[in-house]
Amino acid sequence: MSYGIRINGRPFEDEPRAGQCLRTYLRERGWFGVKKGCDAGDCGACTVHVDGEPVHSCLYPALRAEGRTVTTVEGLAGEGGELHPVQQQFLDAQGFQCGFCTAGYLMTTAALDEEQLADLPRAFKGNICRCTGYRAIEDAVRGVRHTEEPGAGRAVGRNLGAPAGPQVVTGTARYTFDLDVPGLLHMKLLRSPHPHARIVAIDTAAALRVPGVHLVLTHHDAPERLYSTARHEHPTEDPDDTRLLDDTVRYIGQRVAAVVADSEAAAEEGCRRIEVTYEQLPYVTDPEEAMTPGAPVVHDKGPESRIARPENNVVGEVHGEIGSVEVGFAEADVVHEETFRTQRVQHASLETHGAVAWYESGGDGEERLTVRSSTQTPFLTRRALCALFGLELKRVRVLAGRVGGGFGGKQEMIVEDIVALAVMRLRRPVKLEYTRAEQFYGATTRHPFTIGVRAGARADGTLTALQVRVVSDTGAYGNHGPAVMFHSVGESMAVYRAPHKKVDAYSVYTNSVPAGAFRGYGLGQVVFAVESVMDELARRTGVDPLVFRELNIIGPGEHMISPGGEEEDLEIASYGLDQCLQVVRDAIGEYGDGSASPSGSGPGDDVPEGWLVGQGAGMSMIATGPPGGHFADARVKLLQDGTYDIAVGTAEFGNGTTTVHQQITAGALSTTVDRITIRQSDTDVVRHDTGAFGSAGTVVAGKAVMKAADALAVQLLEFAARYLGAAPGECRLTADAVEYAGRAVSLKELYQAARAAGRELSADGHWGGSPRSVAFNAQWFRLAVDPGTGEIRILRSVHAADAGKVMNPMQCRGQVEGGVAQALGATLFENVRLDERGQVVTAAFRRYRLPQYADVPRTEVHFMETSDAIGPLGAKSMSESPFNPVAPAFANALRDATGIRFTELPLTRDRVWLALHEAGTG
């Protein structure tokens, strides 16, 4: 008897493999709207309906679906193509950012009854979104519309929907692995069980005998060249300490070998059959201990690797002093000193790291390597692959589909290199897709920091000295380590005026999972410490915390000074920090006299009797782009049908740059966004783009697009004037034509005229990312604490954002809300925990606590009225900066409520209860 199942109205009779889950069965048959996010039923991205009931298809055996009807997100729409009401609601509310989780939310929502709709925290317990902060999802479910209809030439500043929105809600947006590659082979990795060891021998014979195994790669097959997995415009920013496959392993989880086979199962079996003989070496997991004489050396490499002091495991360090902090402390009436600790945090992008590569014929008929990857940096990855394997740039193409979240974690090359090596050896397509567990122990984390802060102030609240000591644990490899360490003590100290400042900062190797780029890039860790100390100084001098900040913050036009080294191209091109603090003051003022004593609640608070109530704020400043140059090229051209095409290298992963680039172009060309298409994140598309990181999508790539669009507008008017026998100033661009003296010449006609003249109507734009401006943010919380259990309830969350000219308020608000939500996760419970050997023990979502719908409050977002002199059309970046002031604002509110200064993150319920118990107030 044959197997039978109906998927979206179509019958399928292929019998599933033994043990196959419904998710892989569906994806193998082209239903790519069903996503792989967690492998364990924790995230809900794979939700489908079986006979109308929502199920997590990664847990549902495909065999159980026999005789049943399965509906995926692709099948929600009507037969005529009309959207399901839920799909339309998510489109109208823009209830998504990267969109990787959206299909799961749509399928869950479509099955909710009235009772379930009334209790969304419970209804969405099985779904996770890492991007949105959940407010947009709730609005979508409630039928709230945020999008506006596009209008010609009036795009910037309006709530226009993402160009890929219809594809996201119908499940047809294509992410990295949403394609069918004929002859595809699968790769799995064997990883180290030891924190530090030398490979004495490795036997692959048994692995090669496994049916279906084609190739086993070990360190014997790897290039000797050392490199960094971090991707920066200037490779010398990072130490060259990594080998593709090494004969020395330095953390539990480091890749030892790769097996390529017909199936993942065969590749996994091949990994199990590899026999490795290790010589175990001494290891160190504490960064302070790692710097002491006699500690195990993680990397014994020469100066060519650019490691500051390998003998002391110091990969990078910065030391500097302005004035004399000892003099400053002597002048102070109050000195406060404290040590703070922040933990490892996982990026937890729902699309895991992965790449698929193959050979294809290039334009010149020659073969070239093509790599499709979930990356934020396709151009830098291509450059790194060429350097590693000695290939010409024209022989390698790197592209990204839609990327399912990044947050800095995909500013790395940690899968593309090994996949490329396998393809070069086999001349066949190869795929490597990380499991959720591998994301925890085989990718990167946020850097854990220890921050010592000492600050002094006069009795009137004026700062006299600020001293910071930072130790950053970069793990077993130094990717991003020195840069994160340097950035962490930059704007966090420069935002405050103090005549005497000193910094000592170290980025240190340990035998643990490597850290890397993460939203905020080190600032969040140090801002948590500095803002907490500023709050204590305000309390001890008797000065209101907001007044204290206003007395000491940098002002418009002032020179930013950090003892870690000045960045000459950084300037305050617009200033909204005063407005940010006023938003906080106004929020506090709504509670009468502004006090938030531990014994009472304010208007609108729903606080049980006996709970402690408090409020607190934090603020931050961040550069609107990385130092040293961040480059973007763009081309805008007129197409044959009278529409426009933008070619730009930056990747889209929920950051919204695609929407902004359309809006900028529409404004420059007096057209509508629906007449503009975008080709992006493909090294075949345009000359170069450093990448979508460092908040550069709007302020760098956006500026390149603006320059190209402005140049094309001039070109169109000049060509039309010659064509019409008029002066350029007498012609006017409209959505689909050029008008002159009551006559309209269509853009189609102009295209044909230009073609007849041997011309292409197109223009290029370039921006080098310098000079740079700064953005400001402030966060305020009002919260209540149960002294009997340590439970914390957020009563109100307010965020003030100085984003300059806000290109798309709906989209920018989503970036702020998502940043606050992610920061709350890091503040309250997220923690990549390691055992004494450095092994990750939280390698699953159910052991690693991510913020869910019920955990995240609706944050009130306020945009300041500023216009930046550097950013495109006055815009500033706003993707990273909302993260940074959240933890200190929360800790300051908790201090206000409990009287206890918490110095270690996360602020878990048990940690809060224990502190209250020890203080006698529990």
Side-chain angles (χ1 to χ4, degrees), residues 33 63 94 138 186 238 254 328 357 382 563 575 601 714 721 749 878:
L63 198 61
Q94 294 287 284
E138 179 182 2
H186 300 267
D238 307 289
Q254 181 170 333
R382 177 179 68 161
Y575 186 82
S601 60
V714 171
E749 184 178 341
M878 199 44 58

Side-chain angles (χ1 to χ4, degrees), residues 10 251 523 623 787 819 891:
R10 291 170 51 190
Y251 69 98
L523 269 184

